Amino acid sequence: MDGLPAPVPEGVSVAEATAFARDNSGHMAMFLYANPRADQVNELAEAWDLHPVLIEDLINAGQRPKLERYGETLFLVARAARYVDKTEEVDFGEFHVLLRPGAVAVICQDDRWISAPATATVDEDNVDFGDRERALLADQTLLRMGPIAVVYMLLDTIVNGYGPVLRGIAHDKEEIERQVFSGDISVAERIYRLSREVIEIQQAITSMTDAVDMLRSGTDKQAISQELLMRLDAVADDLTQAAAKTAMLRDALTQILSVNATLVNQRQNEDMKRISGWAAILFAPSLIGGVYGMNFEIMPELSWGLGYLFALGLMLALAVMLYLVFKRSKWI
């Protein structure tokens, strides 16, 4: 069918597949690398004559989301995310996309495709795609739009994955709120850890927004069909909404931390009041006992038959009186 990618024999090199797409109008070469080896990256770099700095980025990974141009090659870094509820951590996956006329390469840097199950394994002989990746390979209408359509599908899949992450964080935020008001003293550490995850996802979303904006308004805009440009606009809108939700979560966690600190101070003040009250109650009998324990020779009560009972009664009376005073003042 006209416009559909024609099958290429297995075992052809990157250079041969790229040349095939270049020499056959309406076709493209698509390379998907799962857990790529250094020799695979070097083969791609040689076939596409990639810049040395770009080759270094591909091999070393650990890049922030960005969009850069190296000659006729666009280099996109995107970070997918999934939320691990058990550990309350955001698990990021890094993807590199190389885009040039008639060809696109997607490199998975973290051994797992975006929508693949968390337990999926990736090796060079068994590529375990998720539902979204399978949909990409089966969507001939989208593939007709060229290599930029692959970039759109990747971005759309990644951005759609931010929604469940933010919902998971919001759910744990609600649990933390209940934990704070229940008086759990260990909640502060949980707040700090979740805040750190929110900051990381916020940085990823902000960088992704900048990359998508550059892709929409860059020099390659004329090569993007109007329909695909509208789809990229929808991705940008989704990123804007995700950024707003992330900012709200970060502000909410900051407020929760402040409330928790206030409650902790209040509980500490109440504890100090109780300690001070009981210390005063115990101090009065100790003071009387200490005076009588001096055993001076001239003490009228020493020769009094009821002196011992009088001292005990005085101790008890003072203790009861102080207890009632502190109880009325809500110190104990």
Side-chain angles (χ1 to χ4, degrees), residues 229-243:
L229 186 59
M230 292 175 60
R231 296 194 182 194
L232 287 174
D233 290 340
V235 171
D237 291 340
D238 291 340
L239 279 170
T240 300
Q241 295 178 10

Side-chain angles (χ1 to χ4, degrees), residues 159-222:
V159 174
N160 285 338
Y162 289 155
V165 172
L166 297 178
R167 286 193 293 272
I169 293 176
H171 175 74
D172 287 333
K173 186 263 297 182
E174 294 173 357
E175 290 184 352
I176 286 176
E177 289 176 341
R178 291 191 292 268
Q179 193 175 356
V180 165
F181 290 104
S182 68
D184 190 341
I185 60 176
S186 64
V187 69
E189 180 182 356
R190 189 180 181 189
I191 297 174
Y192 280 120
R193 286 192 288 103
L194 195 61
S195 297
R196 181 190 61 193
E197 301 303 318
V198 171
I199 291 173
E200 290 189 7
I201 188 67
Q202 186 178 42
Q203 292 173 344
I205 291 174
T206 301
S207 299
M208 282 282 291
T209 301
D210 294 339
V212 171
D213 288 342
M214 291 176 62
L215 184 63
R216 293 161 61 213
S217 60
T219 56
D220 289 82
K221 185 174 180 179
Q222 288 74 16

Side-chain angles (χ1 to χ4, degrees), residues 79-322:
R79 297 187 73 191
R82 69 178 73 203
Y83 192 60
V84 183
D85 187 64
K86 184 177 181 180
T87 58
E88 295 184 359
E89 294 180 348
V90 179
D91 180 25
F92 288 99
E94 184 176 341
F95 290 84
H96 294 176
V97 183
L98 299 174
L99 180 68
R100 61 187 298 158
V104 60
V106 180
I107 300 176
C108 172
Q109 294 285 4
D110 295 283
D111 301 345
R112 188 180 65 240
W113 292 102
I114 304 170
S115 60
T119 57
T121 57
V122 176
D123 56 53
E124 56 185 284
D125 299 322
N126 180 25
V127 180
D128 194 352
F129 291 118
D131 294 338
R132 297 286 293 183
E133 289 82 11
R134 296 183 188 279
L136 165 63
L137 298 176
D139 192 345
Q140 302 294 343
T141 301
L142 187 64
L143 292 178
R144 285 193 184 97
M145 299 180 188
I148 192 66
V150 179
V151 177
Y152 157 74
M153 178 63 81
L154 179 75
L155 293 174
D156 184 55
T157 303
I158 289 176
V159 174
N160 285 338
Y162 289 155
V165 172
L166 297 178
R167 286 193 293 272
I169 293 176
H171 175 74
D172 287 333
K173 186 263 297 182
E174 294 173 357
E175 290 184 352
I176 286 176
E177 289 176 341
R178 291 191 292 268
Q179 193 175 356
V180 165
F181 290 104
S182 68
D184 190 341
I185 60 176
S186 64
V187 69
E189 180 182 356
R190 189 180 181 189
I191 297 174
Y192 280 120
R193 286 192 288 103
L194 195 61
S195 297
R196 181 190 61 193
E197 301 303 318
V198 171
I199 291 173
E200 290 189 7
I201 188 67
Q202 186 178 42
Q203 292 173 344
I205 291 174
T206 301
S207 299
M208 282 282 291
T209 301
D210 294 339
V212 171
D213 288 342
M214 291 176 62
L215 184 63
R216 293 161 61 213
S217 60
T219 56
D220 289 82
K221 185 174 180 179
Q222 288 74 16
I224 303 177
S225 67
Q226 187 63 30
E227 179 182 354
L228 194 55
L229 186 59
M230 292 175 60
R231 296 194 182 194
L232 287 174
D233 290 340
V235 171
D237 291 340
D238 291 340
L239 279 170
T240 300
Q241 295 178 10
K245 292 178 181 178
T246 307
M248 292 176 59
L249 285 172
R250 186 173 181 179
D251 292 341
L253 287 172
T254 300
Q255 294 176 1
I256 292 173
L257 186 61
S258 177
V259 170
N260 182 65
T262 301
L263 293 176
V264 169
N265 289 333
Q266 289 179 351
R267 287 193 291 268
Q268 289 177 343
N269 290 336
E270 293 297 322
D271 292 340
M272 288 302 299
K273 287 180 180 180
R274 284 192 291 270
I275 293 172
S276 299
W278 285 110
I281 292 173
L282 295 175
F283 175 73
S286 300
L287 177 62
I288 296 174
V291 171
Y292 279 91
M294 293 179 183
N295 293 324
F296 290 118
E297 294 183 358
I298 304 175
M299 293 184 70
E301 293 82 359
L302 292 178
S303 59
W304 186 23
L306 299 177
Y308 181 71
L309 295 177
F310 173 76
L312 292 178
L314 182 60
M315 294 179 188
L316 180 61
L318 285 174
V320 171
M321 182 185 68
L322 290 174

